[in-house]
Amino acid sequence: METGDGKSTLLDEEQLDRLAGYGEAEDVREGQNLYSSGDTAYDLFLLRTATVDVVRDATAIEPERLIYRRGPGEFLGELNLLTGQQVYLTARVATAGTVVRIPAHALRRVLAEQVDIADVLIETFRARRELMRSAAGSALEIVGRPDTAETLCLRTYVTQMLLPHAWLDATSLSGRALLRSTGTGEDDLPIAVTNGLVLRRATPGTVAEALGLTYHATECIPDLVVVGAGPAGLAAAVYGASEGLATVLLDGCGIGGQAAKSARIENYLGFPQGVSGEELTRLAMIQALKFGVQIFSPCKVVGLDLSDERRPAVELKDGSRIETSTVIVATGAHYRRLDIPRWAEFEERGCIRYAATELEVLRYESQPVAVVGGANSAGQAALSLAARGCTVNLVVRTADLGAKMSAYLADRILAHPRIHVRTGSTVRHLDGDETLTSIVVTDAAGESERLDCRGLFCFIGATPESDWMKDIAKDDHGFVVTDSRLPPGTHEAPLPFQTSARHVFAVGDVRSSSTKRVATAVGEGAGAVSSVHAVLGG
């Protein structure tokens, strides 16, 4: 495991010898770069007698910086080896000696065949990524205004994708210095700088392209393409890859889906003290990478070609096509908005949120806020905001808080001194000049009240992300119909989660009559893989 100074737990001699058997020994000289910042790929290096410095290259405002040094008995590399991301740091030989070079294909064999070594490698890769994410002077720098929707979207993406980065407020001294050094200004925000490349008005898509995270075609046709990387999609990808299927995972926004935006999930099996959606997503992503899942995000899917029944093709926004043997759809649903004046205006200014992650909660610490919704996600958000000192008005349309919310959540909310529950109520107006300052709430009797509010968190349901599936059977609300709910005669014996197309399956919130729970979504994703095997073996 990685320690704070960049060192990792040493493999024992027997493990070192086994690992070395997957590569080739070579002598390296002092000053030689084993890999460099900006490289599109690199190998795992086992250090036999050489010592290597891992450095962050000089930037426009910072000199070269030593991140850590590694010596004999250790190994180089972190999550880039599994994700295919562009290399962030340079590994330079400090003391000449011998190394063992283990290429990417051989590393995959190590992870599959040597369980004890794989555990050490994966945990060390994960810890090194965390060290890189927390270290100042990251190879990816983002400058923006923290209160804009564009900046929040970008910061959420790089956090979900575990990308090591430095965040700079555009009004800070360091932020202004980077803007001057790159020749950018207010109209260019947010900007992202990586390996000398300056991205103006940066988006998750442009950052992904710069870092090598966008989809690139290969000669191999995957056994399984999973569309959507929420809990259901991640589970499908993990189980598919772990059971030997060549698996590709695509997502149009970022990893984790709606679950990644949940501040705390308290009823997920195995986490008695609760777990944030962000942390659960991070662990699932690393697990998927361990088993060889190819993850591409953002990667917008716009169509599904079913002209060849045995070889469906997923169509991407950029015109690319991915032919595959099977597809599991886990695209979930998107958030509903209130149809009231100035909603889009305040949404654009970042005053309206559809999640309560740590970033969003910190933004409103000790301020008056409102949460709209009566289900568990709204309750979790209200508690998280109250824990940060916020005065929270929880606006619930129904007369009973417990109608859609778990009893344990409702009880805690009703007992919390900083949460004011307003049942039978709706938000009618939003007010403020440059930012949201108050809302008007009307109760069941028609009485209206103005409430102080700096941020509005909206959790009023969702509609399925299924429009791109033109030839797949759906219910009246657009949710995908599967197995026993398919029209009679669609399949002779429908498999669990099978859609009207034999080689296409649907799981999670996009599926008709699904249970909106993280644990259920994970179970559906895993279960669908069994159906995939049945189709492939048929």
Side-chain angles (χ1 to χ4, degrees):
M1 180 174 175
E2 199 76 0
T3 61
D5 59 1
K7 292 185 178 181
S8 54
T9 301
L10 299 180
L11 297 165
D12 62 34
E13 286 299 323
E14 188 275 333
Q15 289 173 317
L16 287 171
D17 290 340
R18 266 193 288 141
L19 180 58
Y22 287 83
E24 296 290 335
E26 60 182 70
D27 294 328
V28 294
R29 65 184 184 281
E30 182 178 341
Q32 177 181 345
N33 286 349
L34 300 183
Y35 51 83
S36 301
S37 179
D39 288 351
T40 57
Y42 67 111
D43 299 322
L44 176 72
F45 287 93
L46 174 61
L47 306 182
R48 284 301 207 184
T49 60
T51 300
V52 175
D53 288 339
V54 177
V55 302
R56 181 261 169 101
D57 291 351
T59 69
I61 61 174
E62 286 191 2
E64 179 179 278
R65 177 183 175 186
L66 174 67
I67 303 299
Y68 37 66
R69 170 173 288 190
R70 297 196 176 93
E74 296 188 277
F75 50 87
L76 303 181
E78 54 99 36
L79 281 181
N80 298 54
L81 285 168
L82 307 180
T83 64
Q85 295 167 17
Q86 192 179 82
V87 179
Y88 298 113
L89 304 174
T90 295
R92 184 176 302 135
V93 177
T95 304
T98 302
V99 301
V100 177
R101 181 189 294 267
I102 301 173
H105 66 86
L107 174 59
R108 291 293 180 190
R109 288 179 51 216
V110 172
L111 297 179
E113 298 171 2
Q114 306 295 337
V115 176
D116 58 333
I117 296 176
D119 287 344
V120 174
L121 293 178
I122 293 296
E123 177 57 21
T124 303
F125 292 165
R126 184 203 63 78
R128 287 176 183 168
R129 177 56 64 90
E130 290 301 315
L131 178 63
M132 290 173 65
R133 292 176 69 210
S134 61
S138 172
L140 172 62
E141 295 168 307
I142 297 172
V143 184
R145 290 192 173 277
D147 56 350
T148 66
E150 294 82 2
T151 296
L152 180 62
C153 178
L154 184 57
R155 292 185 68 191
T156 299
Y157 169 73
V158 298
T159 299
Q160 288 179 339
M161 293 298 291
L162 310 183
L163 301 178
H165 66 282
W167 154 248
L168 304 174
D169 189 321
T171 62
S172 67
L173 289 175
S174 55
R176 291 199 297 268
L178 188 57
L179 290 177
R180 286 194 300 270
S181 68
T182 56
T184 55
E186 286 285 332
D187 292 341
D188 300 313
L189 296 177
I191 71 163
V193 182
T194 179
N195 294 321
L197 178 64
V198 179
L199 304 175
R200 291 171 166 81
R201 292 177 290 281
T203 65
T206 58
V207 169
E209 186 174 0
L211 297 178
L213 289 171
T214 50
Y215 174 74
H216 48 273
T218 63
E219 294 183 1
C220 175
I221 295 177
D223 300 310
L224 171 63
V225 170
V226 180
V227 185
L234 282 165
V238 166
Y239 276 86
S242 68
E243 294 174 9
L245 301 178
T247 304
V248 171
L249 177 62
L250 310 174
D251 195 278
C253 300
I255 304 300
Q258 291 188 51
K261 298 175 174 62
S262 179
R264 194 169 188 83
I265 302 170
E266 296 194 71
N267 56 0
Y268 191 69
L269 186 67
F271 293 89
Q273 295 180 328
V275 60
S276 72
E278 184 178 310
E279 177 62 14
L280 190 63
T281 296
R282 181 180 298 124
L283 295 170
M285 179 179 174
I286 292 171
Q287 195 172 17
L289 293 171
K290 171 185 176 180
F291 290 117
V293 177
Q294 292 182 282
I295 301 176
F296 300 105
S297 176
C299 189
K300 182 68 173 177
V301 175
V302 297
L304 185 63
D305 183 355
L306 300 174
S307 55
D308 183 343
E309 185 186 72
R310 300 186 64 86
R311 186 65 59 82
V314 173
E315 300 171 337
L316 307 183
K317 186 177 181 180
D318 65 1
S320 302
R321 287 166 49 90
I322 308 177
E323 291 189 357
T324 179
S325 298
T326 57
V327 177
I328 293 179
V329 178
T331 44
H334 61 266
Y335 301 110
R336 292 177 182 156
R337 293 157 168 78
L338 293 177
D339 185 17
I340 57 177
R342 304 188 70 186
W343 185 272
E345 175 187 343
F346 285 113
E347 183 181 46
E348 184 176 346
R349 292 176 180 173
C351 302
I352 296 174
R353 313 289 192 180
Y354 300 93
T357 62
E358 184 178 0
L359 280 176
E360 283 135 334
V361 171
L362 284 174
R363 169 71 178 81
Y364 292 97
E365 187 169 10
S366 301
Q367 298 184 53
V369 298
V371 176
V372 182
N376 283 1
S377 55
Q380 291 159 355
L383 287 169
S384 295
L385 288 159
R388 284 289 182 176
C390 295
T391 299
V392 183
N393 281 293
L394 178 59
V395 183
V396 184
R397 186 175 58 182
T398 61
D400 179 12
L401 182 63
K404 295 184 178 180
M405 188 179 294
S406 297
Y408 80 93
L409 272 179
D411 291 343
R412 289 173 59 186
I413 287 167
L414 291 171
H416 203 294
R418 282 194 293 272
I419 301 178
H420 307 287
V421 180
R422 299 176 181 275
T423 55
S425 300
T426 56
V427 177
R428 295 298 186 187
H429 299 286
L430 308 176
D431 291 301
D433 293 327
E434 292 301 314
T435 187
L436 183 65
T437 57
S438 66
I439 63 174
V440 175
V441 174
T442 302
D443 63 18
E447 297 292 328
S448 295
E449 183 179 1
R450 184 175 297 277
L451 307 171
D452 287 342
C453 180
R454 301 296 180 270
L456 189 151
F457 292 75
C458 187
F459 300 89
I460 58 172
T463 54
E465 293 281 3
S466 62
D467 289 348
W468 59 280
M469 304 170 66
K470 301 299 183 185
D471 298 319
I472 297 292
K474 303 166 193 167
D475 66 17
D476 293 340
H477 301 288
F479 291 91
V480 178
V481 179
T482 61
D483 46 74
S484 63
R485 293 179 174 270
L486 288 168
T490 304
H491 302 300
E492 183 176 343
L495 294 164
F497 311 108
Q498 192 171 40
T499 70
S500 54
R502 177 172 168 76
H503 287 242
V504 180
F505 304 84
V507 295
D509 290 357
V510 75
R511 191 175 69 85
S512 180
S513 300
S514 66
T515 302
K516 307 300 188 287
R517 291 289 185 271
V518 173
T520 305
V522 170
E524 290 189 8
V529 173
S530 296
S531 296
V532 166
H533 284 297
V535 164
L536 294 177

